[in-house]
Amino acid sequence: MSKRQKSWDFLEQCAEKGKDQPLKQLFADDKKRFDKYSLHVGPILFDYSKNLITDEVMGGLFALAHEVGVSEWRERMFSGGHINMTEDRPVLHVALRNTPDNPIYVNGKNVMNLVSEELRKMKVFVEAVRSGGWRGYSGKRITHIVNIGIGGSNLGPQMVTEALSKFSDDKLQVHYVSNVDSMQIAQVLRPLNPEEVLFVVSSKTFTTRETLTNAKTARNWLLASSFDETVVPEHFVAVTANPQNAIDFGLPEENIFELWDWVGGRFSLWSAIGLPIALTLGYEKFEELLAGARAMDEHFLTAPLEKNMPVIQALVGIWNSNFMGAQAQAILPYNQSLHMFSAYLQQADMESNGKSVDWDGNAVPHRTGSIIWGQLGINGQHAFYQYLHQGQNIVPADFIGAVESSTTVKGHHEYLMANFFAQTQALMNGIDEEQVREELRAKGKTKDYIDNLVCHKVHQGSRPTNSILLETIDAFSLGSLLALYEHKIFVQGVIWRVCSFDQWGVELGKELAGHILPQLEKNGKVAQQDSSTMGLINHYKKVRAEQTS
Ligand code: F6P
């Protein structure tokens, strides 16, 4: 923060004053707490009442949002302002789900024409593949899609196809290859027949080494079956903002779907990067996903900050992290469909806000992005929830679930959701010494037994959670949920004044790998590294030489 906001000081005072206030007391004092601190937008109910917030705190947080100009930044994003400062680009994933009659200009050009044109091309392609009009080199129907891509060119599409798999008509099976470890591509390709496989090579830059290595292996695998290079276009399409590199890979222009430098990789599933979604679920489902995101965009753009779901989610996160001292944020879906959601959010959030300098290049004097982690809540209960309930660090958690069961199988969903509600309640209330003693006495335990055990059974409570309850997991709701988190990330970046849309921190490691690779490939010991790296490389080379001799 270049100039410290008045509201920041006020919030620090609130934190000092309220830090020992038990959360359950706040509920006891105000029977309307849920009504006050929850809101409903489209298919999403967002309950943030189980955070250590009061009217005073929320007032301070909204004042902060006004002071830093969240509304103005929001406007700038939606109108194509160059809010990706270090790369001097607009940030317009919202254009990808915007309606064509609502123009957005970049350098005087209405990008909605580009978006509509690309969507039309996607639709035609998807229908051709799904109907069997697009065939493999031997005339067989395409039955398997293999998406090759990593990071944003993998996580978004894979998370969504997994989440919506119950809507698939199984015309096409989709597989994902992201890892350059040959194990993954070997496993994916082993059972497949090249004549029936279509590869989607997704890479915004088309320079990512992992993706290009996998694409080359896939191509060799195809050629080992077809013995004919000219069939490559029947089995490969590319999605990229760098069409020339895809052409150099051997693809004709018509096999290349475009995205643009104003779409960040981690926000790109709404573009042709989402092809595997449309291929497996049908183009209409992809449109529903876009519509869900658009509904959240409209809410985010038009609702006052005080009634704005992404803004509130962002502010509550700021409160927990900057004023209550939380360093991490757990993502705990109570729905099998969302099993990849925390992995997806890790990139969306941590690559965006895991930064240490502000827009002016100064060190940020307070905590920025949180450590995002998690997995399916019900599995986590039998793994790491012990830490959430009684560990020394307080980890705020987002619980995410749906009212409707994903199947008609009886006897599961109520039990699943009972756990969702119970866990947020347990984290909020905890259980104090007197309650533990009472409970053990009621079970007929001896005084000695109780005295020994009591301190181990106490749960402090006051551990903050958000509950996000969808009506059902469908394409529309999922689109809204993803857009909610995207905008939350954006608002937090604005408050922290970090460049949420670049990712310079991933470059150094890539560059060093580029220097080390030739050292692994050539014979002999290396000498120009630090002693640890040199020791590791030389040990690796020695053992590898023994293994391959
Ligand atoms: O290394 C990080 C990153 O640049 C991500 O931001 C991006 O989503 C991923 O790599 C893949 O990049 P590309 O789509 O250009 O292959």
Side-chain angles (χ1 to χ4, degrees):
M1 199 174 314
S2 54
K3 183 168 73 65
R4 200 172 155 93
Q5 273 79 25
K6 273 205 318 244
S7 49
W8 196 276
D9 294 334
F10 174 74
L11 286 163
E12 279 184 342
Q13 289 158 20
C14 292
E16 190 48 38
K17 204 165 68 183
K19 68 178 187 310
D20 299 323
Q21 174 93 305
L23 187 46
K24 67 179 174 188
Q25 190 58 48
L26 297 177
F27 273 89
D29 293 347
D30 182 357
K31 298 288 173 232
K32 293 210 175 311
R33 198 171 160 84
F34 171 78
D35 297 339
K36 209 194 269 178
Y37 300 134
S38 65
L39 74 162
H40 206 150
V41 173
I44 303 180
L45 171 69
F46 180 68
D47 169 22
Y48 56 104
S49 61
K50 291 194 185 91
N51 286 279
L52 274 161
I53 49 161
T54 58
D55 288 351
E56 206 178 27
V57 169
M58 289 314 295
L61 289 168
F62 289 127
L64 176 64
H66 285 291
E67 270 181 82
V68 302
V70 166
S71 309
E72 292 74 24
W73 280 96
R74 178 178 65 174
E75 199 56 50
R76 282 179 74 185
M77 175 165 75
F78 278 78
S79 58
H82 285 216
I83 63 168
N84 176 349
M85 296 97 174
T86 64
E87 295 175 306
D88 193 19
R89 292 174 186 166
V91 174
L92 278 175
H93 43 280
V94 292
L96 301 170
R97 54 238 190 176
N98 183 23
T99 50
D101 55 352
N102 195 4
I104 299 179
Y105 294 94
V106 171
N107 302 328
K109 218 168 152 188
N110 180 7
V111 296
M112 290 317 302
N113 297 332
L114 299 173
V115 171
S116 305
E117 186 45 46
E118 221 48 34
L119 285 176
R120 229 186 331 269
K121 184 169 167 179
M122 263 177 92
K123 184 170 187 232
V124 170
F125 172 69
V126 165
E127 283 168 5
V129 178
R130 284 173 57 77
S131 67
W134 180 296
R135 302 247 160 178
Y137 73 86
S138 64
K140 288 197 171 150
R141 274 180 90 113
I142 298 297
T143 52
H144 291 266
I145 304 295
V146 178
N147 189 82
I148 298 178
I150 195 165
S153 301
N154 160 257
L155 287 164
Q158 187 170 6
M159 180 272 295
V160 172
T161 46
E162 297 275 323
L164 301 179
S165 61
K166 72 169 179 178
F167 297 105
S168 166
D169 54 13
D170 290 332
K171 277 192 180 142
L172 294 166
Q173 304 298 318
V174 68
H175 313 267
Y176 289 88
V177 174
S178 56
N179 198 338
V180 76
D181 184 338
S182 53
M183 175 90 175
Q184 192 184 25
I185 193 160
Q187 267 177 353
V188 166
L189 297 184
R190 193 175 303 128
L192 304 185
N193 175 358
E195 295 162 61
E196 299 173 352
V197 174
L198 179 78
F199 293 96
V200 180
V201 184
S202 279
S203 176
K204 181 179 165 187
T205 55
F206 228 83
T207 57
T208 304
R209 195 85 185 227
E210 293 86 336
T211 299
L212 297 186
T213 305
N214 280 322
K216 211 166 117 201
T217 298
R219 203 180 122 113
N220 291 341
W221 178 77
L222 172 72
L223 296 183
S225 153
S226 69
F227 302 105
D228 179 3
E229 290 231 353
T230 62
V231 307
V232 168
E234 284 156 66
H235 291 269
F236 278 81
V237 295
V239 186
T240 185
N242 181 2
Q244 189 52 52
N245 279 22
I247 292 171
D248 296 344
F249 178 79
L251 294 184
E253 261 175 47
E254 58 273 21
N255 284 37
I256 300 170
F257 294 86
E258 221 182 325
L259 74 155
W260 306 274
D261 67 1
W262 39 264
V263 180
R266 52 193 174 274
F267 302 99
S268 64
L269 71 90
W270 319 100
S271 70
I273 293 284
L275 256 185
I277 305 170
L279 282 164
T280 51
L281 304 176
Y283 186 77
E284 296 68 33
K285 279 275 168 278
F286 186 67
E287 276 188 325
E288 282 173 35
L289 186 79
L290 300 185
R294 180 162 62 246
M296 185 53 75
D297 292 345
E298 278 161 15
H299 164 75
F300 176 55
L301 185 60
T302 56
L305 302 189
E306 291 74 7
K307 293 196 166 53
N308 196 306
M309 195 181 278
V311 173
I312 291 173
Q313 191 186 16
L315 292 174
V316 169
I318 297 266
W319 170 249
N320 286 331
S321 124
N322 294 111
F323 301 98
M324 297 277 102
Q327 298 187 25
Q329 169 73 53
I331 304 295
L332 305 171
Y334 277 70
N335 200 291
Q336 183 64 29
S337 314
L338 297 178
H339 75 99
M340 277 194 65
F341 193 61
S342 65
Y344 156 81
L345 265 190
Q346 253 170 2
Q347 187 203 14
D349 202 315
M350 294 172 86
E351 201 167 72
S352 298
N353 287 339
K355 315 273 163 80
S356 308
V357 293
D358 70 12
W359 299 328
D360 306 315
N362 300 317
V364 184
H366 48 254
R367 184 167 291 141
T368 59
S370 296
I371 302 161
I372 305 290
W373 65 283
Q375 61 150 301
L376 289 174
I378 200 81
N379 293 346
Q381 283 178 212
H382 300 272
F384 55 78
Y385 274 37
Q386 164 64 41
Y387 188 102
L388 296 186
H389 285 286
Q390 291 185 315
Q392 289 174 315
N393 290 314
I394 295 198
V395 183
D398 283 0
F399 281 67
I400 307 165
V403 174
E404 191 181 48
S405 169
S406 302
T407 72
T408 52
V409 180
K410 298 235 177 310
H412 289 246
H413 197 63
E414 265 63 43
Y415 181 66
L416 175 71
M417 294 309 287
N419 275 277
F420 174 127
F421 301 131
Q423 289 292 337
T424 64
Q425 192 178 46
L427 287 162
M428 182 254 281
N429 281 335
I431 177 164
D432 64 22
E433 184 173 335
E434 201 31 56
Q435 288 171 296
V436 174
R437 284 185 182 280
E438 187 54 46
E439 182 195 302
L440 293 175
R441 274 196 297 266
K443 287 183 178 156
K445 301 294 181 190
T446 64
K447 180 166 180 320
D448 274 2
Y449 179 91
I450 294 174
D451 285 346
N452 280 335
L453 200 58
V454 69
C455 58
H456 298 285
K457 287 196 57 123
V458 166
H459 293 48
Q460 289 168 340
S462 294
R463 304 207 161 198
T465 60
N466 290 321
S467 295
I468 299 174
L469 204 49
L470 277 62
E471 282 160 26
T472 186
I473 307 280
D474 60 10
F476 187 92
S477 318
L478 185 63
S480 290
L481 179 72
L482 302 184
L484 166 66
Y485 274 94
E486 285 182 346
H487 296 320
K488 177 222 93 141
I489 291 165
F490 164 71
V491 172
Q492 291 186 330
V494 168
I495 293 173
W496 289 322
R497 302 184 86 247
V498 295
C499 300
S500 299
F501 300 104
D502 60 23
Q503 57 282 322
W504 297 107
V506 302
E507 295 303 328
L508 179 61
K510 283 188 198 171
E511 199 183 311
L512 293 184
H515 294 312
I516 289 176
L517 178 63
Q519 298 178 10
L520 297 188
E521 286 169 341
K522 71 174 187 237
N523 290 330
K525 284 187 168 186
V526 300
Q528 311 94 329
Q529 302 281 357
D530 63 85
S531 67
S532 165
T533 313
M534 189 167 67
L536 289 166
I537 292 176
N538 287 333
H539 177 78
Y540 171 87
K541 290 183 76 165
K542 180 170 159 281
V543 177
R544 184 105 166 107
E546 287 161 9
Q547 286 169 346
T548 50
S549 65

